[in-house]
């Protein structure tokens, strides 16, 4: 606290902003990230409100029902995005399919982040034999053929567990290796700091040191990785569904919509069947990546404020 000699007014020292407040301001100034955030929120809201926005499925939505009399109708006043080759409204399936694709991406991302964070933090904190064992297992997961394992597990578990959750579990169990390695490297650097060494020296349990002291300082990295993973796992669902090994075919998803349009006459003469899911997938993935880049820049203390 200082006093202005000319006016005699007391000048209080300015409060320094917290790192999270600085990151929030930087993110809000990133126009592309903000536009992408608004777009992604809009997509999520529209998919969640699908039962209310889909007037063609009333009173009980039946998004798998085939209507021969309305096969491959071009966009018109009754069907704004037309109908597919089974007579189903494209807009309705686009909304319901978005719910599934986003659910798969978000759920698989949660599994990946939880497993990767646990393995990476334990390996980085304990080091030695524990670190070596966990990292060799991580290498095994990273080097295992993803597509082959997805097909095998889907075949084994199909019928035992709901097909959608089989896909989520398989993707989650095969994708956590990269997060584990990143978290491990950050924990190895953080655990050498004095506050961590002090906590260990006074006998603080390892779990408490990891949760209370290490993970909060690795959280920014985890957030950025989660955002980028969300986009890549939506792409994984789309690709697997397109190949016939993803979401069950009776369940609408953006990937299944593209798979149903995989015919020369549809690709060449009926773009309204495949173009909406292709465009929404592209726009959603780009928006999530722009958000991830915005978060990466905002949470980087070395970037310009």
């Amino acid at each position: 606290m200082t006093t202005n000699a000319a006016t005699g007014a007391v000048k209080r020292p300015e409060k320094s902003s917290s790192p999270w407040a600085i990151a929030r301001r930087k993110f809000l100034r990133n126009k592309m990230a903000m536009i992408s955030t608004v777009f992604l929120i809009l997509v999520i809201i529209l998919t969640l409100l699908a039962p209310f926005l889909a007037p063609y499925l009333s009173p009980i939505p039946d998004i798998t029902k085939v209507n021969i009399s309305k096969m491959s109708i071009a966009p018109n006043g009754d069907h704004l995005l037309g109908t597919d080759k089974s007579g189903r409204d494209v807009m309705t399936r686009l909304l319901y399919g978005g719910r599934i694709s986003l659910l798969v991406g978000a759920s698989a991302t949660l599994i990946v982040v939880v497993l990767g964070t646990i393995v990476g933090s334990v390996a980085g904190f304990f080091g030695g034999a524990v670190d070596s064992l966990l990292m060799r297992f991580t290498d095994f997961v990273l080097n295992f053929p993803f597509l082959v394992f997805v097909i095998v597990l889907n075949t084994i578990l199909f019928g035992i567990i709901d097909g959608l959750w089989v896909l989520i579990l398989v993707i989650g169990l095969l994708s956590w290796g990269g997060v584990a390695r990143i978290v491990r490297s950050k924990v190895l650097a953080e655990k050498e700091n004095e506050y961590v060494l002090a906590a260990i020296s006074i006998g603080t349990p390892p779990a408490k040191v990891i949760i209370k002291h290490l993970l909060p300082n690795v959280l920014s990295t985890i957030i950025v990785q989660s955002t980028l993973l969300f986009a890549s796992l939506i792409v994984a669902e789309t690709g697997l569904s397109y190949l016939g090994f993803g979401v069950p075919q009776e369940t609408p998803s953006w990937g299944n919509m593209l798979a149903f349009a995989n015919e020369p006459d549809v690709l060449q003469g009926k773009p309204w069947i495949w173009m909406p899911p292709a465009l929404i997938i592209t726009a959603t993935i780009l928006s999530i990546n722009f958000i991830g880049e915005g978060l990466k820049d905002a949470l980087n203390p070395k970037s310009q404020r």
Side-chain angles (χ1 to χ4, degrees):
M1 185 180 296
T2 59
T3 303
N4 190 312
T7 61
V10 177
K11 183 179 180 181
R12 297 180 179 275
E14 295 183 1
K15 292 183 178 179
S16 59
S17 300
S18 68
W20 290 105
I22 296 172
R24 184 175 64 251
R25 286 199 299 268
K26 288 195 291 185
F27 184 79
L28 291 175
R29 288 198 297 265
N30 190 323
K31 293 182 180 179
M32 187 59 70
M34 289 305 301
I35 293 172
S36 299
T37 302
V38 172
F39 174 79
L40 183 61
I41 292 174
L42 181 62
V43 169
I44 293 173
I45 292 175
L46 289 175
T47 56
L48 291 176
L49 294 178
F52 306 99
L53 299 176
Y56 308 103
L57 301 176
S58 178
I60 300 176
D62 186 0
I63 45 183
T64 62
K65 186 177 180 179
V66 176
N67 191 338
I68 300 177
S69 64
K70 293 188 176 182
M71 294 172 59
S72 302
I73 296 177
N76 56 39
D78 293 329
H79 302 280
L80 298 180
L81 295 179
T83 63
D84 63 14
K85 60 183 181 179
S86 297
R88 298 168 297 196
D89 185 71
V90 173
M91 177 182 287
T92 299
R93 288 179 63 80
L94 195 68
L95 294 175
Y96 277 96
R99 302 174 89 182
I100 300 301
S101 294
L102 294 174
L103 173 64
V104 171
S107 301
T109 299
L110 179 62
I111 295 174
V112 169
V113 169
V114 171
L115 288 177
T117 300
I118 293 174
V119 173
S121 58
V122 170
F125 179 78
F126 288 101
V130 174
D131 181 26
S132 179
L133 177 64
L134 290 177
M135 285 302 99
R136 297 298 74 74
F137 180 64
T138 302
D139 291 338
F140 170 77
V141 173
L142 287 172
N143 293 323
F144 205 88
F146 179 78
L147 183 59
V148 173
F149 208 23
V150 168
I151 295 172
V152 171
L153 283 183
N154 251 336
T155 304
I156 295 173
L157 298 177
F158 189 77
I160 302 175
I161 308 175
D162 181 82
L164 179 62
W165 292 105
V166 168
L167 179 64
I168 292 173
L169 286 173
V170 170
I171 293 177
L173 292 174
L174 294 177
S175 306
W176 54 266
V179 175
R181 282 193 164 278
I182 293 172
V183 172
R184 170 185 175 271
S185 65
K186 293 292 183 180
V187 169
L188 283 173
E190 286 292 330
K191 77 172 186 178
E192 300 300 327
N193 291 328
E194 293 181 356
Y195 68 93
V196 177
L197 297 175
I200 296 173
S201 66
I202 62 176
T204 305
K208 189 173 182 180
V209 175
I210 293 173
I211 295 172
K212 187 175 180 180
H213 298 288
L214 291 174
L215 289 185
N217 292 287
V218 184
L219 186 60
S220 60
T221 301
I222 295 174
I223 291 173
V224 173
Q225 289 300 313
S226 300
T227 308
L228 299 176
L229 267 172
F230 184 31
S232 64
L233 294 183
I234 291 177
V235 173
E237 179 276 322
T238 302
L240 290 170
S241 297
Y242 182 80
L243 294 173
F245 301 109
V247 176
Q249 293 187 359
E250 65 272 12
T251 304
S253 74
W254 291 339
N256 278 342
M257 291 182 71
L258 289 176
F260 290 141
N262 188 21
E263 293 181 2
D265 65 317
V266 174
L267 294 174
Q268 295 176 8
K270 300 169 185 176
W272 65 85
I273 296 180
W274 61 266
M275 192 172 288
L279 290 176
I280 194 65
I281 290 170
T282 303
T284 301
I285 298 307
L286 285 175
S287 67
I288 295 173
N289 280 318
F290 282 130
I291 293 171
E293 291 299 323
L295 289 172
K296 184 177 179 180
D297 179 68
L299 294 171
N300 182 5
K302 296 181 180 180
S303 64
Q304 186 177 1
R305 298 185 180 183

